[in-house]
Every structure is written in C-alpha cells, then in structure tokens.
Amino acid sequence: MPPASSRPVDNLDDDDYPAYTMGRAAEMLGTTPAFLRALGEHLLITPLRSEGGHRRYSRYQLRIAARARELVDQGTSVEAACRIVILEDQLEEARRINEHLRTQGRESQSKNSA
C-alpha cells in the first residue's frame, strides 16, 4: 500500500496545477493545438513544461483559453481576443482588491466607533 499523502488530492483541487497535455486541452476546448500555441504567442497563457518539454495546462488556463475561443468564434481576431481577456482578468482582480479594501475599511470603522 502506498504511503498516505495529501499531494495527489491537493493537485486535483488546484486550479493552477498543470494537469492537461496540449492534445487533451485542445480536445476539451474543441480547438486545435495551434490555437493554444497562438494564445501563448500573444502572452495570454503560458503553459508549464513537463520534464520532457511538453506543454501542460491548468484548469485556470483552460478557462482563459475557452473565453478567448468564445471571442474568436464571434469574429474577434486572436490578438484582440487575447487583449480583451487580459483586460477582463485585470478588471476582475481590481474589483476583488476594491471589495477587500472596502471590507477592511468597514471593519476598521466598526472597531473605531465601538
């Protein structure tokens, strides 16, 4: 019996774990490996490399690639789709930070008024 380890379960739950090969990722997205390479060329996603040098994609990267594919399917160029997705991601991060700061501000005001 192999030793107990939480690592495999942690990897299954980790959105950033590079679990998917290029072929599997392309199949899941209904696209081609060339499309995934184009996303990398436009700096939208940067897959990790296995020890053998093969591209490996995470679930998070696949969600990003799927959003880019939606835009391309609607007639947007790959380059423009990549830029749009990057900006959407930056906007979402700014919103998360803003909400976090608002929450901290409300908590600070509550402590000061008590």
Side-chain angles (χ1 to χ4, degrees), residues 86-103:
I86 289 167
L87 291 170
E88 287 174 343
D89 197 48
Q90 289 172 345
L91 177 60
E92 182 58 33
E93 179 65 15
R95 285 179 174 157
R96 278 193 296 271
I97 291 168
N98 194 12
E99 183 57 32
H100 176 73
L101 293 173
R102 280 190 190 136
T103 302

Side-chain angles (χ1 to χ4, degrees), residues 8-89:
V9 173
D10 291 342
N11 289 343
L12 292 174
D13 294 333
D14 185 354
D15 269 358
D16 294 320
Y17 181 72
Y20 303 98
T21 63
M22 177 180 275
R24 180 68 179 128
E27 180 183 317
M28 291 171 68
L29 294 170
T31 189
T32 63
F35 178 77
L36 292 172
R37 282 191 293 274
L39 299 182
E41 290 169 10
H42 292 291
L43 306 177
L44 179 62
I45 55 176
T46 304
L48 292 176
R49 298 284 183 147
S50 68
E51 288 182 18
H54 300 283
R55 291 174 177 89
R56 304 287 294 196
Y57 297 89
S58 68
R59 287 187 306 202
Y60 174 75
Q61 289 173 324
L62 294 184
R63 283 195 302 274
I64 296 289
R67 175 65 181 132
R69 178 160 187 240
E70 286 175 19
L71 292 167
V72 169
D73 287 349
Q74 294 170 5
T76 306
S77 71
V78 172
E79 183 178 5
C82 290
R83 186 67 185 137
I84 289 167
V85 173
I86 289 167
L87 291 170
E88 287 174 343
D89 197 48

Side-chain angles (χ1 to χ4, degrees), residues 99-114:
E99 183 57 32
H100 176 73
L101 293 173
R102 280 190 190 136
T103 302
Q104 281 185 328
R106 284 192 295 265
E107 290 172 359
S108 178
Q109 287 177 349
S110 294
K111 288 178 184 177
N112 290 339
S113 63

